Amino acid sequence: MARTAVVTAAALAVAGGSTSLAAAAPVHSGGAAPLVYHRACAVQHKANVASCMVLVLNGVKQRTEAQLGKNRFKPTGFGYGRPALVNAYNLPSSSPTRNVAVVDAYNNPNAVSDYNTYRSSWGLAACNSSTEAGCLTVTNQNGAASPLPTNSGSTGWATEESLDVDMVAAICPNCHVFLVEANSPDISDLGTAVNSAVSVLGADYVSNSYGAGDSSSDSTYDADYYNHSGVAVTASAGDGGYGVSYPAASQYVTAVGGTTLHKNTSVSRGYKETVWGSPSGGEGTGSGCSTNEAKPTWQTGSPGCSGRTDNDVSSDANPSTGVAIYDTYDQGGWLEVGGTSVSSPTIASVFALAGVPAAGTYPSSYPYADHSALFDVTSGADGSCTPRYLCHARAGYDGPTGLGTPNGVNAFKS
């Protein structure tokens, strides 16, 4: 099933209010009128403290499952679900049972129940306690079941957590999802959670939908937290347009940018993608050239940047062509969200569909070996820059979308 309702700006004006966090400010772009979405989490301005990347579409009247009623098959009017994403990215209809971890800050006490509602509403099988297929396990940053961190409260991180686990279910429904909750959004706590996801929980795929500023501390954080060969570690590129964030800038992770994904029956694929963003800057996918990270040996097609270039690959992130998620802790049930928070767990889950990474390798290198297994995104921009390809799409590699978006799973195989 394709996305059943794209809510236009005109429709949003009369659709009713959102129940999302009142403290979150509307998003602006390039000095223009406010856009139709807002950040769930406040932007952090402290060194080495991360912000979550989820953006909530305004004007979509949120509804709980009970309010929608039981005489329907799937939620409608709240963004893309599994059928559309599988169709748009040519993904397998079945999935293996593999361990995928998502790392976030604070606790979402409704995470498991909301995740189960998401699955049942899209017709996905319930958690299999014997095989752990389709199950969600919540741990603290050390990989233990208790004590969990303090509840998210008004920080917005619970919305991020709902988004992350729902996207894994959408792309890899048989995967066992670990929600690893850090004590705080400090990189040291989030990084500890990444280490636990790998060494304690045995995850071969770890998604990070958060970012802090690119800094001189990055090499230390790389060594301490993000250098995991044989594991597909993905990170959101950021939602503030052209510019680099960490850990997406790490040479050891797959930096995931964002696109605008429109249904388009005039092309054989059935969908058209452009860069999420604007040439005038403002909100959109992050991208750019790190001045603190070395360029990985496999990164090609990025002249004029002696350091690590963001991004490697991308997927849908524009909240106006967003995804449906379910959250009853700090939201009103079904809602539509975007941001590169969508992209990171999507790509981590595509890696899971593709197979177990080879020992001693960095999965961020895999797409560079098989460009043909990606949809090349050739139009759009996320700002103004030099060299131009760092912020403008072009044929082949470019900063905002990297090598492109998934066309099946072959580009993500070892």
Side-chain angles (χ1 to χ4, degrees):
M1 184 187 80
R3 183 172 182 270
T4 54
V6 177
V7 183
T8 65
L12 288 168
V14 296
S18 167
T19 59
S20 48
L21 297 175
V27 174
H28 293 255
S29 178
L35 296 180
V36 292
Y37 48 87
H38 67 271
R39 295 179 181 274
C41 297
V43 176
Q44 297 292 333
H45 297 289
K46 296 180 181 178
N48 308 316
V49 178
S51 304
C52 83
M53 302 291 190
V54 59
L55 301 176
V56 178
L57 190 66
N58 296 331
V60 176
K61 193 171 180 63
Q62 298 180 12
R63 290 287 186 271
T64 65
E65 186 74 358
Q67 288 172 322
L68 289 178
K70 300 299 183 181
N71 296 322
R72 59 185 183 78
F73 182 53
K74 299 181 180 73
T76 61
F78 298 98
Y80 291 128
R82 169 174 164 77
L85 296 171
V86 167
N87 187 29
Y89 293 122
N90 193 27
L91 299 177
S93 58
S94 59
S95 75
T97 301
R98 295 192 171 117
N99 294 337
V100 179
V102 298
V103 171
D104 290 300
Y106 306 118
N107 178 49
N108 178 352
N110 297 358
V112 173
S113 60
D114 285 351
Y115 171 82
N116 290 337
T117 297
Y118 178 91
R119 293 185 63 90
S120 64
S121 295
W122 287 104
L124 302 176
C127 163
N128 185 321
S129 58
S130 297
T131 65
E132 298 184 326
C135 297
L136 173 62
T137 300
V138 182
T139 78
N140 61 27
Q141 67 183 38
N142 298 313
S146 65
L148 294 176
T150 57
N151 288 347
S152 169
S154 62
T155 66
W157 278 89
T159 305
E160 179 65 67
E161 295 181 13
S162 295
L163 163 58
D164 292 346
V165 300
D166 287 355
M167 284 303 94
V168 180
I171 303 300
C172 188
N174 286 337
C175 281
H176 179 191
V177 187
F178 289 96
L179 172 56
V180 190
E181 297 179 332
N183 291 337
S184 80
D186 290 1
I187 292 294
S188 58
D189 283 340
L190 292 163
T192 297
V194 172
N195 287 343
S196 298
V198 176
S199 62
V200 178
L201 302 174
D204 291 315
Y205 321 88
V206 183
S207 174
N208 303 277
S209 291
Y210 55 83
D214 193 25
S215 76
S216 59
S217 300
D218 291 356
S219 60
T220 299
Y221 292 142
D222 282 350
D224 290 347
Y225 307 123
Y226 296 99
N227 184 354
H228 294 283
S229 63
V231 178
V233 182
T234 65
S236 300
D239 297 341
Y242 180 69
V244 173
S245 70
Y246 188 86
S250 172
Q251 60 182 304
Y252 300 113
V253 313
T254 300
V256 188
T259 66
T260 299
L261 177 71
H262 285 295
K263 190 173 182 182
N264 189 324
T265 57
S266 66
V267 295
S268 59
R269 177 188 171 192
Y271 291 86
K272 182 177 176 60
E273 281 181 282
T274 60
V275 172
W276 171 45
S278 166
S280 61
E283 300 304 309
T285 182
S287 69
C289 177
S290 173
T291 59
N292 296 292
E293 289 276 346
K295 186 184 293 294
T297 57
W298 58 81
Q299 190 168 58
T300 58
S302 54
C305 172
S306 60
R308 166 72 155 122
T309 309
D310 283 359
N311 298 309
D312 297 309
V313 293
S314 54
S315 70
D316 182 37
N318 189 335
S320 294
T321 62
V323 297
I325 68 165
Y326 194 72
D327 181 287
T328 60
Y329 177 72
D330 57 3
Q331 302 291 336
W334 287 105
L335 67 153
E336 183 167 355
V337 299
T340 52
S341 281
V342 177
S343 310
S344 181
T346 294
I347 295 300
S349 302
V350 174
F351 272 115
L353 295 176
V356 178
T361 67
Y362 290 94
S364 53
S365 68
Y366 299 170
Y368 291 87
D370 190 1
H371 298 201
S372 65
L374 294 160
F375 290 116
D376 192 7
V377 181
T378 60
S379 63
D382 65 352
S384 176
C385 65
T386 302
R388 192 171 187 269
Y389 79 90
L390 291 174
C391 58
H392 283 254
R394 65 176 185 178
Y397 181 88
D398 58 68
T401 64
L403 296 164
T405 61
N407 180 7
V409 301
N410 285 343
F412 301 88
K413 291 182 177 180
S414 60

